[in-house]
Structure formats: C-alpha cells, structure tokens
Amino acid sequence: MKIILLLLSIIGRSSQLSVGECGTEARRPQITDIAVQCGTSSIDLAIEICPVLYTGYNETLLILNQMLDTVCRATLDDSVTPPVARFSFPIDMTHACGSIFKTTSAAGTGVFSEFSNVQTVNISGVVRSADPTNGMITYNAELKYFYSCAYPLEYLINETQIDVSASSIAIKDNNGSFISTLSMELFSDTNFTQPLVMPELGLELRTSVFVEVKATNLTGQYHVLLDRCYASLSRLPSNSSILFNLFVPCSKDEFTTMMENGESQSSRFRFPAFRFIEQQNETVSTYYLHCIIRLCEKSACSSFLQCNNRRKRNALDTAEPGMTKSYTISSSEIITKGDSNESKDKPLIAEEEKDESAVGLGVAVGVLAFACLVSLCVAAVFYKRLKN
C-alpha cells in the first residue's frame, strides 16, 4: 500500500517524453530492450523507454528490486536514440539496491586446471513495472527486466610486453571484474620505495628482490591473496615446462619470505636472485615471475592462510565461502649474471637457519680455541722438562 501511495504521488512527475514522440519505437516490449554494463564499481542498466510508454508506464513507474530509495530510481536519458531509462547502483552487498549476491563454484580449466574450485560472484535482480491503476482491474501488462552480472574471483593476466621495472595491466570488463588494474612491481629495498632497475648485465646472484602485487579500484570488501608465485623461462605463464615455485599454497621455498599476504589490497614478499641451470652456458639467465592472485573477503582471509584449514585441490573439492577465482600476473624479465666472484663468496642461508648456523660457528670457534690452549700448555710442560 505504501508503494502504491508513493507511486500515485509521483505520477504527476511523469516522463517529459510522450509515446507520440517515439515514432516507430512505440511498440510492445522485447527481451532486447535492456542493456547491462557490469563495471568495476557499479552496475548500469539502460531500458528503452518507448516500449515502456507504449505499455502505459514511464520511467518513474519502473522499480528496481522494490527499492524506492532515490539512488535506486531511474532517470530519463533522451539524448540517445532510442531514449532510455537509466539505473546505476554501486557494487556493495549493503548498498546494491536490493541486488542478490550469490557465489558459485566450478572446476578450473586451462592455466587454472589444477583448481577444482574456481568461484564466481553473480549479482542479479529485476526491474518491475508498478501499475498505478486504482481499481479491481487493469489493462496494463506487467513489465519485468531481469539483469545478471557474473564477476570472476580468480583472474589470469597474460601480457608479453612489460616494462623492466614494473608491470601494470588493465583488465577489460568481461561480464564484470572487481579489479580495474592489477600491478606487479619489483623493488630493491625492504620499504618498497626504490623500484628495482635491472642492470644491463643482470643482477648479482643472491641479490634480494622485493615484490609487491597491488589491486587498484578494488571494492572494499575484498583483499588480495597471493596463492602461488613461480618463475619460468617463458613470458607466458602456462607456456613453459621449466619452472620453479617460489611458493604454493601452504608451502614455500626456504629462501622466500612472505611479508604481507591477504591483509590488504596489496601483497608483498622477497626472494634472492637465482639462475636456472638450464641457462648455465649463457652469459646471463633471464626468467619471468608469475603470480596467481585470488581475492578473499576481509573477514575470511585469515582462514585461508591457515594451512590446516585449506582444502587440497582435488576432484572432491567443495566451495570455500569467501575464496575467489584467481588472476595470474607476470613480471618484467629478471636477469641475473652468469658468473660473479662476489656472489660466490657471499653465503646464502635460509632465514630459519641463520641462528642455528651462528651458534654452530660459535661452538666450532670455542672448541678450536680450547684445543690451541691445551696444545700451548702441553708444549710448555715439555719445554720445561727439556730445560731441566
């Protein structure tokens, strides 16, 4: 009753466009009368208004998901041909004008074939006509315009030409994407302020490489979670049989250090520069870093970082609420020197073993010093006897 009274109060503010001005566009509605744009931060609907006028309604009588909020109402746009009624609302579970959010899962294919749980968020709803007729009967047909946007939560970026010091690749909307840009940048310092400039002859082996993966214009309810990062000889993430895993779910190389992951809209880690033995006869070793990135809901990210709670990816895998599909993003080429006296002399010790190595070295030095002291004492005794 409240809706009907409100509609009766606004019927006087009907469209300035009349059905007589529609010409050949004054016709019965068709299923192609609605256009849906699934953006990175909002969903936009455009409904041809002339069939609406022909049926006995106007844009003020088109109601989105039974929501009467001003931000959820249609506006007439007669600057285009044919003219349309436009709706625009943000992608936010609490402010999406009554849209329904549903997460579905399916087995991954292609580069994600190892993932048996690839998720998509579907955002859907309906625009209905509200009949202002006050009586027992009506001659107006009910109009319904359904919309649906599928947003993948796992992404693949495949780019062959990237700047040396960083990569920044825009993702075109395809059905929908929560991310407008994913970027991977390499740094030379622990504060992530100095971009890594690749020397012409390559990096010294064991040089620390700091990596930051960041999502730009990502809706606030998701964080970035690095699921797997690996190095390969190919620019293409799925086009190499020779690859080295820096880390995979719940396991990492002993020399890789995770610094931030799943805590914000950027993730960070570091690793020492290495070279592929496959390229041992070449002056420099050139390879590329690839990372598979998932999005996780802020409240659920911490649970996915606990290995004992993360399910193994197999045919029996089921949906994990809050987990997303993933992107793969590739770095610029990383070049390391083929031979270096400095790198050979510099020991490489896993972070977990540093303390143990230091203790071992201290014990060895102590034993050696004690042996020297005993030797000196024995020598002094023999010397004294010989002198006597």
Side-chain angles (χ1 to χ4, degrees):
M1 188 66 179
K2 180 180 179 181
I3 294 178
I4 295 177
L5 291 175
L6 180 58
L7 291 173
L8 290 174
S9 69
I10 64 176
I11 191 65
R13 302 193 298 273
S14 60
S15 172
Q16 296 180 1
L17 188 69
S18 67
V19 69
E21 298 176 84
C22 289
T24 58
E25 296 298 330
R27 54 169 174 76
R28 290 182 59 83
Q30 300 175 357
I31 59 174
T32 57
D33 287 347
I34 183 172
V36 182
Q37 183 176 357
C38 305
T40 58
S41 58
S42 65
I43 294 177
D44 299 314
L45 311 177
I47 299 174
E48 291 192 27
I49 195 63
C50 285
V52 175
L53 296 173
Y54 180 85
T55 312
Y57 304 99
N58 57 54
E59 77 278 2
T60 66
L61 296 175
L62 295 179
I63 309 301
L64 175 62
N65 297 320
Q66 299 185 339
M67 302 294 291
L68 299 179
D69 296 356
T70 303
V71 294
C72 302
R73 303 307 302 274
T75 57
L76 177 66
D77 182 1
D78 56 4
S79 65
V80 296
T81 304
V84 296
R86 296 192 183 278
F87 294 87
S88 181
F89 51 90
I91 301 173
D92 189 315
M93 296 183 71
T94 57
H95 303 95
C97 290
S99 299
I100 298 173
F101 287 68
K102 183 178 181 181
T103 301
T104 58
S105 300
T109 59
V111 72
F112 301 127
S113 58
E114 65 179 275
F115 295 90
S116 59
N117 178 26
V118 176
Q119 294 186 312
T120 300
V121 171
N122 186 275
I123 304 174
S124 61
V126 59
V127 177
R128 297 173 181 264
S129 59
D131 195 336
T133 303
N134 187 14
M136 296 180 61
I137 65 170
T138 181
Y139 295 98
N140 299 327
E142 182 182 21
L143 301 180
K144 294 181 181 180
Y145 299 93
F146 294 91
Y147 64 90
S148 176
C149 285
Y151 286 87
L153 297 179
E154 187 164 8
Y155 301 88
L156 167 66
I157 295 180
N158 186 0
E159 184 67 28
T160 57
Q161 186 66 41
I162 308 174
D163 293 338
V164 170
S165 61
S167 63
S168 183
I169 307 166
I171 302 172
K172 295 180 180 179
D173 288 336
N174 182 10
N175 283 332
S177 171
F178 281 135
I179 301 177
S180 64
T181 303
L182 267 178
S183 63
M184 176 189 290
E185 192 164 1
L186 307 180
F187 294 88
S188 60
D189 67 312
T190 188
N191 294 322
F192 293 84
T193 58
Q194 300 297 323
L196 178 64
V197 178
M198 206 65 61
E200 184 177 352
L201 297 179
L203 294 170
E204 294 285 351
L205 292 174
R206 305 173 185 175
T207 299
S208 290
V209 178
F210 298 85
V211 185
E212 179 181 55
V213 176
K214 181 187 299 183
T216 304
N217 294 333
L218 172 61
T219 181
Q221 66 195 67
Y222 289 101
H223 282 174
V224 170
L225 180 72
L226 293 182
D227 202 54
R228 176 191 179 193
C229 285
Y230 60 96
S232 74
L233 299 181
S234 172
R235 290 178 182 267
L236 305 180
S238 59
N239 193 32
S240 177
S241 59
I242 301 176
L243 57 87
F244 172 71
N245 284 315
L246 293 169
F247 59 85
V248 294
C250 298
S251 177
K252 67 179 181 66
D253 177 69
E254 60 179 333
F255 300 118
T256 298
T257 302
M258 298 301 301
M259 305 177 73
E260 180 182 358
N261 196 19
E263 301 171 21
S264 66
Q265 297 189 355
S266 63
S267 292
R268 294 172 170 180
F269 68 96
R270 64 179 172 87
F271 67 94
F274 56 87
R275 69 190 311 261
F276 280 91
I277 296 178
E278 178 78 9
Q279 298 176 328
Q280 61 183 348
N281 295 325
E282 299 180 18
T283 304
V284 298
S285 177
T286 301
Y287 52 89
Y288 300 85
L289 183 64
H290 312 285
C291 287
I292 293 178
I293 302 108
R294 287 179 178 259
L295 306 181
C296 56
E297 291 181 348
K298 291 190 296 185
S299 59
C301 288
S302 58
S303 63
F304 297 123
L305 294 172
Q306 299 174 12
C307 295
N308 57 340
N309 291 334
R310 293 189 64 176
R311 299 184 178 96
K312 295 181 179 179
R313 298 189 180 104
N314 53 43
L316 301 178
D317 216 359
T318 57
E320 294 177 294
M323 193 62 148
T324 75
K325 299 168 62 179
S326 65
Y327 284 130
T328 298
I329 187 171
S330 302
S331 75
S332 54
E333 60 184 10
I334 297 175
I335 305 172
T336 57
K337 292 183 178 180
D339 193 9
S340 171
N341 292 330
E342 179 183 345
S343 62
K344 287 180 179 178
D345 294 337
K346 180 182 177 182
L348 182 62
I349 302 173
E351 191 168 325
E352 302 84 19
E353 299 174 355
K354 286 181 180 179
D355 293 340
E356 294 180 7
S357 299
V359 172
L361 180 59
V363 171
V365 170
V367 171
L368 182 60
F370 179 75
C372 291
L373 181 61
V374 170
S375 298
L376 288 174
C377 291
V378 172
V381 170
F382 275 103
Y383 175 77
K384 185 176 182 180
R385 288 182 178 180
L386 291 174
K387 187 175 181 182
N388 294 332

